[in-house]
Amino acid sequence: MSANTALAEKYRNNFLKEIEEQVEMGDWVKMCMQCGVCSGSCPTNFQSAWEHPPQELFMMIRAGKREEVLTSSSMWNCTSCYNCIVRCPRKLPITHIMHGIAEYAHRLGMAPKMQPTRFFSGLFWKNCTHTGRVNELKLSMGLYFKDGLGAGIKEGMKMKDVAIGLLKAKRLNPFELFGGHKCKDQKGIQAMLKKAYEIERSRKAAKMAG
Amino acid sequence: MADIKVAAYICKGCGLGERLDTDALVKIAQKDGKVPLAKSHDFLCNADGVAMIKNDIANEGVTHIMIGACSRRAKTEAFFFPENAVARANLREGVVWIRPDTEEARETTQDMAEDYIRMGCAEVKAMTAPGGNTNTGTSKTLLVVGGGVTGMTTAIEASKTGYSVVLVEKSGELGGWAGKLYKRTPVHEPFKSPADTGVADLASQVMGDSNIKVYLNATIAKTDGAPGRFVVDIATESGATHTEDIGAIVQATGFTLYDMNKLPELGGGKSPNVIDQAGLEALAKAAAAGDGIIRRPSDNQPVKSVVFVQCAGQRDPTGTHLSYCSGFCCNASIKQAMYFKDTNPGVDTTIIYTDLRTPGNGEDFYRSAQEKGVIFTKGKVAEVVPNGNTSTVKFNDLILGDTDASMVDVDLVVLATGQVANSGINIDALTKPQVEGQEGEPSAVGTVEVKPISILNLTYRQGPDVPQLKQGFTDSHFICFPYETRRTGIYTAGPVRRPMDIAQAREDATGAALKAIQALENAELGRAAHPRSGDLSFPKVRLEGCTQCKRCTVECPFGAIDEDEKRFPVFNESRCRRCGTCMGACPVRVISFENYSVNTVGAQIKAVDIPDEFSEKPRILILACENDAYPALDMAGMSRNEYSAFVRIIPIRCLGSVNTIWITDALNAGYDGVMLMGCKSGDEYQCHFVKGSELGRVRMSKIDDTLKTLNLESERVRDLEVAITDIERVPDMINKYAAELVAVGPSPFKGF
């Protein structure tokens, strides 16, 4: 049984309770009073990027729409501008809840695979934890080639003037593509992260089982 | 009218001396006003000026005083001569403050002041000092009808103030609706959980108070008399009748829940598991007496899921059910959801609402319910389908846009139906078919069922109960005078007046108790109650001239006038509010007040000097309601908002007191136009006498016939709605009308 089906089984009809227990800051969801100030304040909503604004997501959680919420791309679109937190009359930490739901969906393997924010987050984390330094060239190339070779070349050509400019200004080193620079104690960093992973993994596993 | 001596005093203070030729005004008072004693003073309202007037009263035998100074609304304490008839010519707010201080304007400004002096002198001569109503009663006992929270609070508050109270309760115990509650919405910090109702405490206070006499299982068989001298027959269950002398009455008859059987689409009456809020209170009380678990009525199984349907049969735009919001039900449903959550957090409680309205500190209570896990869903319930021991609730989810949302296997559905006032017989519905000669088919749209049993059984000519305003609630002005009804000395409080919760009802009760005490004290002194509090004048009628047309008895907004067996009007002065609507209605003009009559206004109209048609000085008469329009005009003066010098303003008690003879007289005398300024009428009325401005307008709508017989243009008379806030609008209206009249041309009646 996958983690997803196991948890769905565990909470059955009570998706709100599942969110409260599994999602960071999820216990705030019940306090939403549906005023819609968060939705109105969200800068991404001006471009209709959100399938479901926060207020609606909260309502869907209460209505038990588990599949729709967890597979939604909405919470991945949050830019962490904190407008909603500042304005929420009920003081809900909406930004954190969005990230919490996104993380939970990712944990269950239900998050949309190629959602750009999610993809970039993974890419960035892998990139910077590998050497302890962010390799900007590899990071941007990775993002360019996200949707395949053709799309990547096209995207690269579009940005070539910027890249040449950066080269001339010595802000871009093409040799970074091979290895790249590292932090002083690469091993130490990785050992630290390993320990952190372990702690988190055991905590979440306990939560999901408990 | 034998020995009257009139004196006129002209003030020179506040710039009057600089802007006006006061010596000329003194001469006008002597010559045109025919006043034997006329003086001017540099500062009339100071101690020296007032002493001068008092000296003249004492030593010169002055009985009637005309003061040409500021508005009659200013300096009322300085110019207070209760033994004398007093008229005020408004030279400050009405003349110098609304005119530009220029050389060109000087002549017309002086004309204006001179006319006001003539008018004041003419008015005061037609007056006598009001002596007060002598047909008074001295009862200081308060009757409270209804033994719920409102009634008990009224009784306790009145008793604490030192007045004795008679409390009549229809049922066998005190408490009313609140007595049937398990708990109430909290009113103290931290507003987190349902609280004790406090009804038992209130009831024991009432029962233990020697000032309060309680009749249980009793109703009012008859209410006769007037404030200060009501005689009330109380019928008890045993058949005995007790008679009590009463000073004033507070009706706190509360409400009935809207009948859920009228809501079959929401499952009302279709299943024992679909109940109203009172039904849940009963279940909660029963549970509290047992093991604390609320059980569904159909099979006595513990309730595991409950849905609260807000606005059931309320806020209905179609006119089938109640159109209004009862205001208490959101908090009540939150409270009831907590009944479940506080004993077992595992019970699913969902409140389906369209707009959650939580007055008082309900926001904290709402938040507390969310913390306890009550689910709030914004939606409109379309249907409740009972099926065996459970129900399915179908609703339109307004946030998710899901028109087909539903909740299944719901053990208990609670419908939040609203409050319907127990206001007795709708006397307007009783009288209307008679007046219009058509049998009244009860109109279905927007009306609520009226209980056909009278509550007060008044012996008044206009009907046995207090009039209703909207939706069966008793008449009142929500903002300006909330407890007043259209029956003097009878106040309504609590949900009979408007939908409300316990906290609001208790405030209401306290307010109404104090108003009732004021009313009975004023009644004893022969003075008017609100809005002319303390007024000593009252209508006097020359019965020998009466034609028994009954207009006064029908139109009196306060039901003050009865009829005797010969069908002559019988004035109950203590019930009268002194609006003068009877005076305006009387076709033979036999009704008058000592200081306000057809003559006092008529004399002013005739006193104005009408220049001939070639002078280019038109004259416009303004009859301005003294409650709203006249203060607005005064305030326009204070703000120095200028208006035409051709108007002559006469304050009137109410538009309802305007007798058409004044208009005819004015037009005959050569006035070019007449403006009537009264308050807004209708459902959203602002009239201090409730129906006065409406009745006045109905009368004035027929003025066109008069204009036709005089061969005059219809523009000559203008009826305007003016509010007290129209400080800038009123001067504008006057100036526009003055300009319009120039186009119409001068009145053909000038110079006759």
Side-chain angles (χ1 to χ4, degrees):
Chain A
M1 209 195 296
S2 73
N4 178 26
T5 44
L7 282 159
E9 186 59 33
K10 183 179 167 197
Y11 289 105
R12 269 187 295 196
N13 291 327
N14 208 335
F15 183 43
L16 176 65
K17 198 168 173 217
E18 179 177 351
I19 292 286
E20 281 179 359
E21 290 180 4
Q22 300 296 335
V23 169
E24 209 174 329
M25 307 250 181
D27 53 344
W28 278 94
V29 170
K30 62 174 182 279
M31 297 308 290
C32 168
M33 63 170 190
Q34 298 296 326
C35 66
V37 165
C38 50
S39 312
S41 305
C42 184
T44 65
N45 204 34
F46 293 121
Q47 297 149 29
S48 319
W50 286 69
E51 206 184 336
H52 308 294
Q55 162 214 15
E56 206 171 293
L57 272 180
F58 296 156
M59 200 67 218
M60 288 163 76
I61 292 170
R62 293 188 204 169
K65 298 189 185 294
R66 186 172 190 275
E67 191 75 15
E68 274 180 59
V69 170
L70 294 176
T71 57
S72 168
S73 67
S74 293
M75 53 275 188
W76 293 99
N77 282 313
C78 174
T79 62
S80 310
C81 75
Y82 285 83
N83 252 353
C84 50
I85 289 197
V86 170
R87 293 184 182 169
C88 177
R90 279 295 177 80
K91 298 189 165 61
L92 265 72
I94 298 166
T95 309
H96 303 313
I97 302 170
M98 288 301 117
H99 295 328
I101 301 171
E103 188 273 338
Y104 184 57
H106 173 76
R107 208 190 320 157
L108 296 180
M110 291 175 82
K113 291 279 172 308
M114 296 313 278
Q115 205 284 332
T117 320
R118 179 180 172 277
F119 182 85
F120 181 75
S121 303
L123 199 64
F124 179 88
W125 188 244
K126 233 159 108 189
N127 182 304
C128 75
T129 52
H130 182 59
T131 58
R133 293 267 188 218
V134 176
N135 185 322
E136 284 171 350
L137 192 60
K138 278 184 180 170
L139 186 65
S140 42
M141 297 267 289
L143 200 59
Y144 287 177
F145 291 95
K146 162 177 163 285
D147 296 325
L149 191 66
I153 290 170
K154 215 168 151 191
E155 190 67 20
M157 291 311 282
K158 214 163 72 188
M159 299 296 285
K160 80 171 188 308
D161 289 347
V162 178
I164 290 166
L166 284 168
L167 265 177
K168 280 183 181 161
K170 297 205 161 73
R171 306 295 298 170
L172 194 149
N173 181 2
F175 297 105
E176 284 281 297
L177 212 51
F178 313 100
H181 65 296
K182 298 172 176 124
C183 71
K184 276 180 192 158
D185 184 9
Q186 199 180 348
K187 282 210 174 100
I189 288 271
Q190 277 168 353
M192 220 157 76
L193 286 169
K194 200 180 161 202
K195 184 74 190 164
Y197 280 136
E198 264 170 36
I199 295 169
E200 196 192 5
R201 206 175 292 128
S202 64
R203 188 164 55 85
K204 280 182 182 161
K207 231 187 194 182
M208 284 165 91
Chain B
M1 302 281 278
D3 356 341
I4 76 163
K5 184 169 180 185
V6 186
Y9 301 94
I10 317 286
C11 180
K12 290 204 253 184
C14 296
L16 295 177
E18 292 90 70
R19 298 278 306 278
L20 300 169
D21 180 352
T22 44
D23 293 339
L25 294 180
V26 169
K27 277 191 196 115
I28 289 283
Q30 285 165 333
K31 198 168 134 268
D32 293 355
K34 299 195 174 61
V35 167
L37 189 67
K39 295 177 177 175
S40 63
H41 191 278
D42 284 337
F43 194 173
L44 194 60
C45 63
N46 75 0
D48 182 52
V50 174
M52 174 178 84
I53 300 174
K54 283 192 172 152
N55 181 51
D56 287 352
I57 295 169
N59 301 320
E60 301 283 334
V62 168
T63 55
H64 288 46
I65 302 162
M66 201 294 296
I67 293 168
C70 40
S71 163
R72 55 154 67 184
R73 298 176 52 81
K75 303 289 174 196
T76 47
E77 279 160 22
F79 300 137
F80 179 62
F81 308 107
E83 308 294 319
N84 305 81
V86 182
R88 302 274 298 265
N90 187 357
L91 303 182
R92 191 178 70 173
E93 288 88 341
V95 181
V96 299
W97 282 359
I98 52 97
R99 298 300 302 150
D101 188 8
T102 58
E103 208 42 53
E104 307 88 80
R106 210 173 161 83
E107 184 194 330
T108 49
T109 309
Q110 179 72 18
D111 283 353
M112 213 177 182
E114 288 177 3
D115 268 348
Y116 279 127
I117 297 297
R118 289 188 191 100
M119 289 157 76
C121 293
E123 182 191 13
V124 78
K125 279 196 247 173
M127 282 179 166
T128 49
N133 164 30
T134 50
N135 186 16
T136 57
T138 54
S139 174
K140 295 287 177 67
T141 306
L142 209 65
L143 171 70
V144 177
V145 187
V149 162
T150 318
M152 289 195 288
T153 310
T154 309
I156 292 165
E157 294 292 337
S159 163
K160 277 188 195 161
T161 323
Y163 290 83
S164 55
V165 177
V166 172
L167 194 152
V168 176
E169 163 60 37
K170 189 174 63 178
S171 76
E173 59 181 352
L174 295 173
W177 276 111
K180 298 186 178 125
L181 302 183
Y182 169 46
K183 281 182 178 176
R184 66 175 289 197
T185 309
V187 282
H188 294 297
E189 278 282 348
F191 308 104
K192 282 196 186 304
S193 297
D196 182 67
T197 59
V199 169
D201 180 45
L202 271 181
S204 69
Q205 272 189 64
V206 168
M207 297 310 278
D209 193 324
S210 58
N211 260 344
I212 304 173
K213 191 167 167 186
V214 180
Y215 287 97
L216 294 176
N217 295 313
T219 52
I220 309 287
K222 195 174 104 179
T223 305
D224 196 22
R229 52 179 179 85
F230 284 116
V231 178
V232 179
D233 289 352
I234 297 159
T236 53
E237 204 182 22
S238 61
T241 303
H242 304 264
T243 303
E244 296 277 356
D245 289 325
I246 298 295
I249 301 171
V250 175
Q251 182 183 333
T253 41
F255 69 98
T256 311
L257 278 182
Y258 187 68
D259 184 5
M260 70 166 178
N261 290 316
K262 290 180 184 164
L263 302 163
E265 68 278 14
L266 299 181
K270 284 190 165 175
S271 160
N273 295 338
V274 179
I275 55 177
D276 60 12
Q277 290 185 324
L280 186 67
E281 293 294 340
L283 290 183
K285 264 198 156 178
D291 57 2
I293 296 167
I294 297 173
R295 294 163 189 280
R296 64 181 180 210
S298 66
D299 60 355
N300 242 9
Q301 288 304 304
V303 172
K304 288 209 182 65
S305 68
V306 52
V307 170
F308 295 86
V309 178
Q310 297 308 106
C311 304
Q314 300 190 67
R315 302 173 70 203
D316 176 23
T318 65
T320 321
H321 304 297
L322 305 182
S323 65
Y324 52 87
C325 162
S326 292
F328 76 99
C329 9
C330 284
N331 273 334
S333 287
I334 292 173
K335 175 192 73 177
Q336 296 185 338
M338 286 192 191
Y339 291 169
F340 293 96
K341 283 288 181 190
D342 286 347
T343 44
N344 177 9
V347 177
D348 286 335
T349 53
T350 306
I351 295 178
I352 303 181
Y353 67 96
T354 48
D355 303 279
L356 209 65
R357 294 175 174 175
T358 54
N361 281 286
E363 194 64 24
D364 285 341
F365 195 46
Y366 169 25
R367 202 177 286 127
S368 168
Q370 286 181 305
E371 275 161 6
K372 288 176 181 179
V374 178
I375 301 290
F376 290 85
T377 297
K378 189 175 168 81
K380 181 114 188 73
V381 176
E383 204 183 351
V384 175
V385 189
N387 179 20
N389 287 321
T390 61
S391 306
T392 300
V393 180
K394 295 182 178 169
F395 65 102
N396 175 9
D397 192 315
L398 293 169
I399 296 289
L400 305 180
D402 183 359
T403 53
D404 214 17
S406 67
M407 302 189 72
V408 294
D409 294 336
V410 178
D411 290 326
L412 197 62
V413 176
V414 184
L415 305 179
T417 55
Q419 293 179 334
V420 179
N422 289 339
S423 47
I425 292 174
N426 183 357
I427 59 170
D428 289 333
L430 274 185
T431 53
K432 256 178 198 148
Q434 289 172 5
V435 172
E436 284 160 25
Q438 43 187 247
E439 210 43 58
E441 181 83 16
S443 60
V445 182
T447 54
V448 290
E449 194 194 340
V450 175
K451 298 269 175 300
I453 300 158
S454 171
I455 287 165
L456 295 176
N457 281 304
L458 295 165
T459 57
Y460 291 19
R461 184 211 180 277
Q462 291 187 4
D465 277 307
V466 296
Q468 300 167 5
L469 182 62
K470 276 188 275 191
Q471 315 275 11
F473 291 95
T474 57
D475 199 354
S476 67
H477 194 286
F478 291 162
I479 298 161
C480 299
F481 30 95
Y483 319 110
E484 297 289 341
T485 68
R486 262 185 281 153
R487 296 292 176 260
T488 308
I490 304 176
Y491 296 86
T492 52
V496 67
R497 186 171 81 68
R498 67 167 176 81
M500 62 176 74
D501 60 17
I502 294 177
Q504 290 170 326
R506 296 207 59 181
E507 262 179 38
D508 236 45
T510 313
L514 294 176
K515 289 304 289 183
I517 289 167
Q518 277 177 11
L520 57 84
E521 290 290 349
N522 269 328
E524 189 191 13
L525 299 171
R527 306 194 302 196
H530 166 92
R532 296 186 58 83
S533 293
D535 186 2
L536 286 168
S537 71
F538 60 92
K540 294 196 161 177
V541 57
R542 273 193 306 113
L543 277 185
E544 58 274 24
C546 173
T547 58
Q548 298 169 309
C549 74
K550 296 203 270 190
R551 282 190 208 170
C552 56
T553 57
V554 171
E555 289 197 5
C556 175
F558 303 100
I561 313 171
D562 291 334
E563 276 160 30
D564 67 12
E565 57 279 8
K566 290 183 193 150
R567 318 199 106 183
F568 280 112
V570 179
F571 285 75
N572 293 277
E573 292 80 5
S574 299
R575 290 189 213 157
C576 171
R577 305 273 181 104
R578 283 76 164 163
C579 59
T581 298
C582 50
M583 179 176 119
C586 184
V588 286
R589 300 182 287 281
V590 296
I591 303 170
S592 61
F593 296 80
E594 286 145 314
N595 56 2
Y596 182 65
S597 64
V598 171
N599 275 343
T600 61
V601 176
Q604 292 183 71
I605 292 170
K606 285 171 200 150
V608 171
D609 181 43
I610 307 282
D612 65 33
E613 56 197 294
F614 308 109
S615 67
E616 296 190 352
K617 283 180 183 172
R619 286 291 174 261
I620 302 164
L621 175 68
I622 297 183
L623 297 171
C625 160
E626 66 176 14
N627 296 300
D628 268 40
Y630 202 67
L633 287 160
D634 273 359
M635 285 189 282
M638 291 171 203
S639 313
R640 306 296 193 278
N641 295 337
E642 290 169 14
Y643 57 80
S644 167
F646 303 134
V647 299
R648 300 294 178 261
I649 301 168
I650 301 177
I652 50 167
R653 288 190 179 182
C654 178
L655 204 56
S657 71
V658 172
N659 198 300
T660 40
I661 190 76
W662 295 340
I663 318 265
T664 322
D665 276 359
L667 294 170
N668 270 323
Y671 283 86
D672 299 275
V674 178
M675 293 175 96
L676 299 160
M677 295 186 177
C679 305
K680 193 172 179 178
S681 42
D683 274 358
E684 307 290 330
Y685 71 89
Q686 293 178 351
C687 177
H688 285 56
F689 299 104
V690 190
K691 291 281 169 192
S693 63
E694 190 175 314
L695 292 164
R697 292 217 162 90
V698 171
R699 235 177 272 146
M700 287 313 138
S701 66
K702 291 161 187 145
I703 202 78
D704 272 2
D705 297 340
T706 314
L707 290 169
K708 255 180 227 152
T709 53
L710 291 171
N711 230 346
L712 285 172
E713 301 82 356
S714 61
E715 286 89 349
R716 299 271 180 211
V717 178
R718 184 70 47 93
D719 168 25
L720 296 159
E721 250 176 32
V722 174
I724 198 160
T725 46
D726 287 339
I727 300 162
E728 271 154 23
R729 196 174 142 251
V730 158
D732 206 42
M733 289 194 293
I734 293 175
N735 293 337
K736 273 194 192 136
Y737 186 55
E740 258 180 72
L741 281 179
V742 170
V744 177
S747 161
F749 285 95
K750 283 182 196 290
F752 285 99

